[in-house]
Amino acid sequence: MVKTNSSTYDDDSDAGGLAKFHLSGSRNWAFSTTGKFLDSDIRGDYYTASNISTLSVDNVDLYMDARVSPISLTYYGFCLGNGNYTVKLHFAEIMFIDDQTFNSLGRRVFDIYIQGKLVKKDFNIVDEARGIGKAVTLPFTAVVSSNTLEIRLYWAGKGTTSLPTRSVYGPLISAITAESELKSLDLRTGLFSLRQIKAATNNFDNANKIGEGGFGPVYKGCLSDGTLIAVKQLSSKSRQGNREFLNEIGMISALQHAHLVKLYGCCVEGDQLLLVYEYMENNCLARALFGPEEHQIRLDWPTRYRICVGIARGLAYLHEESRLKVVHRDIKATNVLLDKDLNPKISDFGLAKLDEEDNTHISTRIAGT
C-alpha cells in the first residue's frame, strides 16, 4: 500500500504467474493479462517490473514498480456507484536504459481503452513523459453504468521486442486513480462508493472519529473536491440498524430546511451501511453543554435563545410545514448539531414516523433514549 498526499493506493505486487485473472485481496478490483513474454522460460516474475534507472518524479513510491503484460493488460474496478468518473493513469518508463549504447533505442507503444472505447492510440511513455524515469499522468472521463470500470492496455505489435532485453515490450502502468465526479451534492442524494468513503476518512482512521451513536461511530471526512462530510457507520448485522438506515434515507432525503441536517448520500457495499452528511463544525449541543471541558462552549443567553428557536422552527417545519408530516421521536441534545456559527440543525431521523393527518394522537410507545 502506498500513501501520497491524501490518497491511498492498494498494493498490486502479486506476481501474477500464468493465470489470466487475479482478484485483489479487498475484492474491489482485479486484473487480467494475456500472452507470454519471449524469454518467460528463463525469467521468473515477468508480470511486474522494478525500477532500474534514476527516477526524477514527485510521489516516487508510485513509480518504483509497475505491472507489465506481453499483449493485453486489463483492470476492473467493482462495486462502483454509477456516474461519471475521472480516471487518471500514471506511467513512468522504468525498464529502459538511458545510455549511449544500442540498448537505449528501445520503444514501447500500446493503445489504451476505457469502458471498451479507444481513448489513446500508439501511446509511448517515454515520448509523453519526455524521458526515461520521468512520470506522466493521463486523465480521462469514464461513464460507469453497470457498477464496473474497465481499463485495458493493448500492445498491437508496435515498438521493439529485444531492447534492452527480449521481455521489454507490451503495456506498462504504474498506478491508477478513479474519482467519482460528485456534483450538486446539495441538490440530490448521491451514491458513494466504499472506496470514496475510505479515502475521505483515511480508512476510518480513529483520529477522524467525532462521535459514537447508538448504532455505530461517526467519522469526519473530506471529499476529493474539498467538501467536509460526516460519515455515520451503521451495523449491517442489526435489524434495527437496517430499519433506521432505510428510514433515515427515506425521511431526510425528502426534507430540506435550514434547521435540519443535510444528507449528501449513502453507501451500501459489502457489509457496510454508511450515511454521508454535511459536516457540523461544533459537533452536538450535548457536547457543547456537558462534554469534556476542552470541548464545552460558553453559550450566552442570546445564543441559547437562538438555538432553542432554531430547534422549534425545525420541529414546526416537520410537524406543520413540510409536504410530509414527520414526528422525530428522538429529540435530545445529542441529536441537535451546531454549525460553525452555532446554528442548530436536527439530526438522526432513524426513529422518525410519518404522521397521517387524520390521526388525532401519536403513539406514546417509548422510542429512543
Side-chain angles (χ1 to χ4, degrees):
M1 183 176 291
V2 174
K3 290 186 177 181
T4 62
N5 298 326
S6 59
S7 299
T8 301
Y9 291 81
D10 287 345
D11 192 302
D12 183 19
S13 58
D14 182 3
L18 293 175
K20 293 183 178 180
F21 188 85
H22 304 270
L23 187 62
S24 70
S26 65
R27 308 184 74 84
N28 287 330
W29 57 272
F31 69 87
S32 66
T33 61
T34 60
K36 188 175 181 180
F37 283 105
L38 295 175
D39 59 357
S40 60
D41 54 335
I42 60 174
R43 183 178 166 213
D45 171 19
Y46 55 87
Y47 280 108
T48 60
S50 297
N51 175 50
I52 61 172
S53 61
T54 301
L55 294 180
S56 55
V57 300
D58 294 330
N59 302 322
V60 66
D61 288 344
L62 281 184
Y63 303 96
M64 293 301 295
D65 302 286
R67 180 159 297 283
V68 293
S69 175
I71 297 178
S72 179
L73 172 59
T74 306
Y75 277 90
Y76 305 90
F78 300 126
C79 303
L80 299 177
N82 291 332
N84 291 341
Y85 283 76
T86 298
V87 176
K88 296 179 182 178
L89 307 182
H90 306 269
F91 303 93
E93 183 53 70
I94 62 173
M95 297 183 71
F96 285 172
I97 298 173
D98 189 8
D99 60 16
Q100 302 301 313
T101 70
F102 73 96
N103 287 329
S104 63
L105 301 177
R107 291 177 65 247
R108 186 192 305 277
V109 181
F110 56 92
D111 299 334
I112 302 174
Y113 294 80
I114 295 182
Q115 301 297 64
K117 179 182 178 181
L118 178 64
V119 294
K120 187 75 172 179
K121 186 172 179 61
D122 295 340
F123 175 59
N124 183 313
I125 298 174
V126 176
D127 286 352
E128 295 276 348
R130 297 183 179 180
I132 293 170
K134 296 182 179 180
V136 60
T137 299
L138 300 185
F140 300 99
T141 297
V143 179
V144 173
S145 58
S146 58
N147 305 110
T148 301
L149 173 66
E150 179 185 300
I151 301 166
R152 183 162 66 101
L153 313 177
Y154 181 70
W155 181 69
K158 300 176 183 178
T160 56
T161 58
S162 300
L163 298 173
T165 64
R166 296 181 69 200
S167 63
V168 182
Y169 61 93
L172 173 150
I173 189 165
S174 301
I176 297 173
T177 306
E179 297 177 341
S180 179
E181 297 178 2
L182 292 172
K183 298 179 180 178
S184 301
L185 289 175
D186 58 334
L187 301 180
R188 67 173 187 273
T189 300
L191 180 64
F192 292 79
S193 71
L194 182 58
R195 184 176 301 175
Q196 283 176 283
I197 302 299
K198 285 185 174 180
T201 61
N202 196 18
N203 199 23
F204 302 105
D205 190 334
N206 197 56
N208 290 326
K209 187 175 177 180
I210 56 176
E212 182 80 34
F215 291 92
V218 181
Y219 296 88
K220 179 182 178 181
C222 183
L223 298 177
S224 58
D225 65 354
T227 302
L228 294 178
I229 57 173
V231 179
K232 182 177 181 181
Q233 191 176 40
L234 295 172
S235 170
S236 62
K237 297 179 181 179
S238 165
R239 291 179 61 188
Q240 190 168 355
N242 279 314
R243 286 197 300 271
E244 288 205 8
F245 178 82
L246 295 173
N247 205 43
E248 185 96 359
I249 295 173
M251 290 286 187
I252 203 168
S253 62
L255 303 169
Q256 297 288 334
H257 189 269
H259 293 293
L260 303 183
V261 72
K262 189 176 297 180
L263 179 69
Y264 285 158
C266 64
C267 172
V268 184
E269 192 170 319
D271 62 349
Q272 296 284 347
L273 297 178
L274 304 165
L275 292 168
V276 181
Y277 300 93
E278 62 177 320
Y279 176 69
M280 303 292 283
E281 290 82 352
N282 283 304
N283 206 277
C284 68
L285 180 59
R287 191 179 80 161
L289 293 173
F290 314 117
E293 187 173 352
E294 65 270 19
H295 293 307
Q296 289 185 16
I297 301 174
R298 290 187 175 274
L299 302 176
D300 56 27
W301 284 112
T303 301
R304 290 173 185 245
Y305 175 82
R306 182 161 52 85
I307 291 173
C308 289
V309 171
I311 296 170
R313 284 175 175 162
L315 289 174
Y317 170 79
L318 293 174
H319 295 171
E320 307 290 344
E321 301 163 10
S322 69
R323 183 171 55 85
L324 299 174
K325 302 299 184 288
V326 174
V327 181
H328 187 284
R329 301 206 306 165
D330 200 15
I331 290 294
K332 55 186 178 181
T334 53
N335 287 340
V336 175
L337 304 182
L338 302 174
D339 68 11
K340 65 180 184 300
D341 298 317
L342 297 178
N343 294 308
K345 298 195 179 188
I346 298 170
S347 71
D348 203 337
F349 284 72
L351 297 177
K353 292 187 71 174
L354 290 175
D355 174 25
E356 297 178 10
E357 291 188 7
D358 293 338
N359 286 350
T360 57
H361 67 281
I362 299 299
S363 169
T364 57
R365 183 174 65 86
I366 294 174
T369 52

